[in-house]
Structure formats: C-alpha cells, structure tokens
Amino acid sequence: MTTAEDEFVEFAEAAAPRLRRTAFLLCGDWHTAEDLAQTTLVKMFASWRRIRRRDAVNAYAMRTLLNTYLAGSRKKRPGEVLTARLPDPPSEVPSPELRITVLEALATLSPKSRAVVVLRYWDDLSIEQTAALLGCTPGNVKSQSARALDKLRLLLDDAAGEPSPARLAAANQMTPGRTGHE
Amino acid sequence: MNETSLRAQLELAVSAEPPLGLLVGNSLRAGRKHRRRRRTAGAASLSAAAIVLLGAVPALTTGPGHQAGRSRSAAGRHPAAASTAYVATSKGTVVPIRLATNTPGAPIRVPEGMPGPFITKSAASADGRTVYEVGDTSGGATVTSIDTATNTAARPITIKGAYGPLAFMLAPDGKTAYLSSPGGLFQVSLATSTARRVTGCSWSGCQAIALTPNGRALYVISGDKSVIVVRTATNTVLSRIKLPANSPGSPLNIGITPNGKTAYVVDAVAGAKPGTNSVVPINLATNTPLPPIKIWAPGLADGLVIAPGGRTAYVLSSRGVTAIDTATNQAEATISLPEAAGNAYYMVLAPDGKTLYVLTPRGIVPIRTASGTVLPTIEVPHLTTFTVIAISPDSRRIYVGAAISHRASGRRWPKIVTAGVVPVNTATRTAGRFINLGGDPFSIAFGQ
C-alpha cells in the first residue's frame, strides 16, 4: 500500500459509517445503503489524488453519495419505492392499528425531498451547504424543508399510542379527492 | 413534531445498524480495479469544473448534532408596548406588520434565515427600538439589526464558524447577544458589531441556551448530554454539568426561573411510554442536577415555558402539558389536550401569564394557567405551515404561520401557492384573515 492509499483507507474508515447511515435514511434498507456507500468510496478512491485536500473531501463524499442515490432513484420504475419495509407509500389514510415509522414516512417523499430532509436534519448541514450539494437554490431548499416537515408531521405519530383521529383526518385532507384548506 | 423530535426518530431508525463488515476493504479492492480499468480506457472520472465547485463548498460538520428548537416564554423579554410584528420569511425579507391594522409594510432585506421552531431566531431589545434577525449564509451565521423607527436594516454582522445557527438570545443589558450552533457558542457584541467564539460543546455542537436573569451566567446544552456553564463577563467555561445517568433521553430545552435559582432541562425520548420523558432541575447555586421529574403526558416532551412569577414551569408533550411546581420540583398537574386537536407542535405563554396557547394541527388550544381549564380550540384558516407562533407583549394578539395551498387533480399532495401569517385575537379567541407575506414565516419579534 502506498501513502496515498493509507490516507484513503484512513478517510474511508472514518467516513464509511457516516456515509452508510445517511444512505440508509435515503433509501430505507441497509443492503442498498451498503452498496451506495461502497460505490461512493470506490469513486472517491479512483480520484483520490485529486481530492485529498481535507476540507473538500467530505463535501465530495456527500456529493458523490447523493448523485449516486439520485441517479439510482431515477432509474426506478414509477411506483417503486426505495424501502424494503413498505410495499407502497400510504396513498390512503393508514388504518388505526398501523403505526407508521419515520422510514415509511420518508418513503412518501420524492428522492430529492428526502435528500433535503436527511441533509438538513440528520447531517445537520446548513441551507447553503445543502443547496450547494443538491445543485439548487437556497430558497428551494428552504421551501422543500418546510413542505417535507409538514408531510412528515401529518404521517408521524410520536405519541406512544395510536394515531389520533385528528391526525388521520388531516392526512385524509391531503389525499386524492380532497382540495386544500379553504 | 419539529426538527428535534424528527431528529430523535431518525436516530431511533438508525440505531439498529448492522456491523460495517468489509465495506472499506471491498471499496479498496473495487477501487483499485476501477482505477486500473479507467487508466486503460482513458476516461476522466471528474471534470475540473466539478472539483472547483466542490472546493467552494464549506467544510461539513463531522458528526450529527441536535437542532433544539423550542417554544420559549415571551414573558419579561418583550417591550411593554409594541406596535409592530417583524416577521422573517423564507424570501430573505422581514415584513413589518402593524398590529393595529394587520397590514404588512414594505419588506426589509436581510441575509436569509432558516426555518426552525422557535429557537428564537429573532429578538427585540427591551425598549423595542431594535429587532435582531439571525441569518444563515455560506460565510457563517449573521445577526442583522433593524431600526424599528425607520424599518431599515444595518449591515449584518457575520459570525464565521457559526453555521446552522440554532439558538439566539439577547443578554439582559442589551449590549451583547449569544448564538449557539454546531460550530460552538458565540458572543456577539452589538455595540462593536463583532463576534467571538466562547466555547465548543462536544462533537455535536451547542444547542439551546438560557441566561440567568442578572446576565452573569449562560447555560448551554451540549450534545453529549451535559450543560456547559459560562461566566459571561470573562467568557470562560465555569463548569460542565452532566445529566443524571438515569435520564434516558436527549436534552432538548432549557429554561431558568426568574429568581435565578433553578434551571429546568427537558430530557426527551421519542416513542417512549409515559413517564420516560423527564425534566431535570438544576440547582444553580451549586450547579448540580436534582432528581428528574417524570413527565406522564404521552409523546415526546420538548416545549418549555416558565411563568413570569416563576412559580410554575410548563412542559409541552405531544398530547399534553405538565405543570411543575418550582418550589417543590414536583409535577402538579398533567393537562390533556383535546383528542380532536391532534399532536401538539408548539406552545407559547402569554406575557401576562394567564393563558398558554398550544398550536396543533386543528388550531390553537388555549389553557388557563390558574385553573388548568382547556378552552375551546381556536380554529385557524389555512393552517398548513407550522413554522411559527408568537404572541404580542400585551398578550392580545397571536400570529401563526399559514399557507394557501391548491391540490391539482391527479396530484397526491397539495402545492403551496403562497404563505404568510394569520392573526388571532386572544380576547375573542377568533382568527382573522390570512396576511400574505409571499414566503414562509420563520420567526417573529415584536418592536415599536
């Protein structure tokens, strides 16, 4: 192993858990997350000499992970959801016994919205950093964050009990067949 | 649910992660093969332009951190008479709204802020003559002061290293302010428009802040389940208070009683059974934690407000409010929210101390503090954007974030057309007409 390779291994060992966790929240299962993280590291190794500078390297890793994930999500057939748990995103009001998890709720967002949520609220990136990584404007990130949080709120029940009737009713208002609030 | 409870749920989802196994080794082997193939094929892996772009992206934080945004009591912090609400929006503007007429004035340009539940991203000076707005830019967080007499903004103070600002608080003397962020705790001198880093707070950054009433000490929540105490006169760290080992959650919020004797730290656990969330009192004379007070209201506990007289601390959970007697540090009552209201988002306490207002998907639930009586829910039109709720210093007006949405046929979710605030008259408990601000409201401060 050369010195550059030693350096890469050191970086990869430190970055791998973090990349895999972010990938997991993006795609919903550990196998795919592992694949995404590995693909990211492989691509980085290929260009390692050019990207060794410390402060760019983490951003590069995140950008590569996101591009790999988003490219993969575009290839999916319409209706196919990137999670091992949920066969379909909830298109109807969930039955009272079903307790929706955060992964299932994330699955109802578009890949880009999901990426915004994970970057902002898991990786704790600022709006500017998120916008730079996703190649969109900060304004776009801000509105996507707010919308995504609204949707997640309606789906998630963080009480220990069953979903409340009001939450189901509110979620009902956002399903096909209903108009927005007046 | 807000950012912090979302964060808690994300952590729960990730907690069952399998071991890494051969991920790094496999990457190295595959990488070598890929590199050999590439060299022979002659393809470039990345264009020079892409690398230059990446070089411009600011360094990422190395670990996850909490965003602790919470409802905070307005009591004692706002000027006695305020004529204008200053609403910071997602368009990088602050819109002044005259309380008397509910009409928006010309927008004031400031560096773009960020959404977030009340972690006070704006604050007014005690005399109401200046409103301070927090922004988040690639150069760092910014603090911009607005002169309320002329509604003009001064040149922003940029705080390098303070990315993703979380909490912002004015010191009682009005001369300095404190800002917490993943990059650390910063002190801002409002007189000289300069900032300095006071301390870091563990790998996940500095979170919610509380100041003692005399301004001499600052308590900041650190991501490693401790509270760091800073002497503000010298900007030195006095001590680090570790939360008791039997508190199972994450500290989300902190408040200090007006007599400066006790701090309360909300220790939150997502998806736990009632009695697991707790509030840890801290004796500020000795800076030691006292036995945690169990919270029995279901759901994640996160909101915290302390009554103006200091006798009661109120904690908001998804399904109820817990009243804590600060003299005995016992939970004296758990007030359940109406079933129909849904899970609570935020809570504000009227500055006159008489009424708590809890924002839920169905509207605003008023609770009389003296009796614990829950009044009928105030229905609010267009209540689809839960980004902000704030109450005026005279306790008579509430503004809550709202949006007009339209669901086109064939689409699953409505599309937001425009956003703004809805005014609520607290005396009649009725909502007024939607005020269009052209962007999501992020925070509200009341000035002259």
Side-chain angles (χ1 to χ4, degrees):
Chain A
M1 283 223 284
T2 64
T3 315
E5 271 196 14
D6 289 337
E7 217 180 64
F8 171 78
V9 169
E10 190 183 83
F11 161 77
E13 278 174 353
R18 177 168 52 86
L19 288 174
R20 194 178 67 156
R21 276 179 219 131
T22 298
F24 171 71
L25 289 172
L26 287 173
C27 71
D29 84 279
W30 288 109
H31 292 300
T32 311
E34 190 116 341
D35 282 344
L36 283 172
Q38 184 163 314
T39 306
T40 302
L41 291 173
V42 167
K43 288 180 180 174
M44 292 190 69
F45 181 74
S47 315
W48 185 246
R49 284 207 155 73
R50 265 176 282 173
I51 57 173
R52 281 154 82 180
R53 195 164 52 91
R54 181 110 220 298
D55 51 339
V57 123
N58 285 320
Y60 188 115
M62 191 58 89
R63 171 67 83 105
T64 308
L65 175 65
L66 283 169
N67 286 346
T68 311
Y69 164 69
L70 290 170
S73 72
R74 278 194 284 277
K75 288 193 197 119
K76 295 275 176 186
R77 285 183 299 276
E80 189 174 338
V81 174
L82 294 170
T83 171
R85 295 235 225 134
L86 193 66
D88 276 303
S91 53
E92 285 164 5
V93 169
S95 63
E97 308 83 53
L98 186 71
R99 198 170 154 219
I100 197 164
T101 67
V102 70
L103 287 179
E104 289 158 344
L106 283 173
T108 68
L109 301 175
S110 70
K112 184 164 170 201
S113 264
R114 204 176 306 141
V116 168
V117 170
V118 173
L119 291 179
R120 295 275 295 123
Y121 305 115
W122 173 254
D123 290 288
D124 274 322
L125 303 188
S126 72
I127 290 174
E128 298 279 332
Q129 290 166 328
T130 304
L133 283 169
L134 290 176
C136 61
T137 65
N140 194 256
V141 169
K142 272 182 271 186
S143 48
Q144 291 230 25
S145 307
R147 308 287 174 263
L149 279 190
D150 281 348
K151 286 186 206 171
L152 292 178
R153 271 189 194 108
L154 281 174
L155 293 167
L156 289 170
D157 174 35
D158 59 352
E162 295 86 36
S164 69
R167 181 176 68 76
L168 297 180
N172 210 5
Q173 287 192 322
M174 290 183 116
T175 57
R178 302 294 207 101
T179 54
H181 291 263
E182 264 318 313
Chain B
M1 185 209 82
N2 54 29
E3 279 90 337
T4 313
S5 39
L6 171 61
R7 170 75 204 195
Q9 296 193 62
L10 291 173
E11 284 193 354
L12 208 65
V14 160
S15 61
E17 66 174 314
L20 267 182
L22 301 167
L23 178 55
V24 174
N26 287 343
S27 307
L28 195 58
R29 268 187 293 281
R32 285 194 195 115
K33 232 195 309 186
H34 181 77
R35 198 187 252 170
R36 278 197 296 273
R37 230 183 281 131
R38 229 178 11 95
R39 239 181 258 126
T40 55
S45 68
L46 249 207
S47 70
I51 295 178
V52 165
L53 174 68
L54 285 168
V57 174
L60 299 182
T61 53
T62 51
H66 284 283
Q67 285 203 6
R70 306 279 131 239
S71 53
R72 302 302 299 267
S73 170
R77 291 226 174 257
H78 287 280
S83 65
T84 312
Y86 289 82
V87 185
T89 79
S90 60
K91 300 291 189 201
T93 60
V94 175
V95 181
I97 301 178
R98 304 283 306 169
L99 265 53
T101 54
N102 274 329
T103 46
I108 307 160
R109 286 232 134 253
V110 295
E112 300 152 9
M114 52 192 290
F118 320 163
I119 294 186
T120 52
K121 297 273 181 22
S122 57
S125 60
D127 61 10
R129 305 236 285 254
T130 317
V131 166
Y132 300 94
E133 301 283 346
V134 174
D136 186 21
T137 71
S138 54
T142 58
V143 176
T144 309
S145 52
I146 294 174
D147 179 335
T148 59
T150 58
N151 281 347
T152 51
R155 201 159 155 267
I157 306 165
T158 301
I159 306 164
K160 206 163 172 284
Y163 297 108
L166 298 177
F168 175 72
M169 190 164 281
L170 289 178
D173 67 4
K175 295 187 184 143
T176 53
Y178 293 87
L179 189 94
S180 71
S181 74
L185 176 74
F186 295 79
Q187 182 196 55
V188 183
S189 162
L190 300 169
T192 62
S193 296
T194 53
R196 55 192 283 196
R197 189 170 182 270
V198 174
T199 180
C201 302
S202 86
W203 55 275
S204 60
C206 300
Q207 298 156 26
I209 299 175
L211 277 165
T212 54
N214 61 16
R216 291 208 203 117
L218 179 148
Y219 290 74
V220 55
I221 289 179
S222 167
D224 59 359
K225 286 194 63 152
S226 65
V227 178
I228 294 176
V229 189
V230 172
R231 176 184 284 136
T232 55
T234 53
N235 276 331
T236 45
V237 172
L238 278 182
S239 78
R240 183 184 292 267
I241 307 165
K242 284 221 74 71
L243 293 185
N246 59 352
S247 65
S250 306
L252 292 193
N253 205 354
I254 183 169
I256 294 180
T257 52
N259 63 7
K261 289 194 174 151
T262 317
Y264 290 95
V265 178
V266 179
D267 197 47
V269 188
K273 53 190 209 293
T276 318
N277 284 257
S278 68
V279 173
V280 181
I282 297 177
N283 177 337
L284 298 187
T286 56
N287 279 335
T288 49
L290 301 172
I293 307 162
K294 288 183 166 38
I295 298 291
W296 295 99
L300 182 94
D302 51 17
L304 173 73
V305 294
I306 298 179
R311 281 188 51 192
T312 316
Y314 299 96
V315 179
L316 178 70
S317 303
S318 311
R319 301 290 312 133
V321 175
T322 306
I324 292 171
D325 180 338
T326 60
T328 61
N329 284 330
Q330 303 286 324
E332 55 182 22
T334 299
I335 305 155
S336 297
L337 296 176
E339 184 62 39
N343 286 345
Y345 298 145
Y346 307 124
M347 170 174 73
V348 291
L349 175 63
D352 64 13
K354 293 187 184 152
T355 320
L356 281 165
Y357 296 94
V358 179
L359 178 61
T360 74
R362 273 297 309 280
I364 299 173
V365 178
I367 302 173
R368 291 278 188 236
T369 53
S371 55
T373 308
V374 177
L375 299 176
T377 304
I378 305 169
E379 302 221 351
V380 178
H382 310 299
L383 199 61
T384 55
T385 302
F386 304 102
T387 52
V388 67
I389 179 172
I391 187 161
S392 60
D394 62 7
S395 303
R396 286 165 56 177
R397 178 77 51 77
I398 286 174
Y399 288 98
V400 58
I404 307 274
S405 57
H406 169 70
R407 193 192 60 80
S409 62
R411 301 199 134 254
R412 180 178 297 143
W413 302 103
K415 193 169 138 73
I416 302 281
V417 172
T418 190
V421 292
V422 170
V424 173
N425 179 327
T426 57
T428 58
R429 296 200 297 277
T430 52
R433 288 175 56 193
F434 173 76
I435 302 170
N436 190 355
L437 301 180
D440 290 322
F442 286 166
S443 70
I444 300 179
F446 292 88
Q448 285 299 340

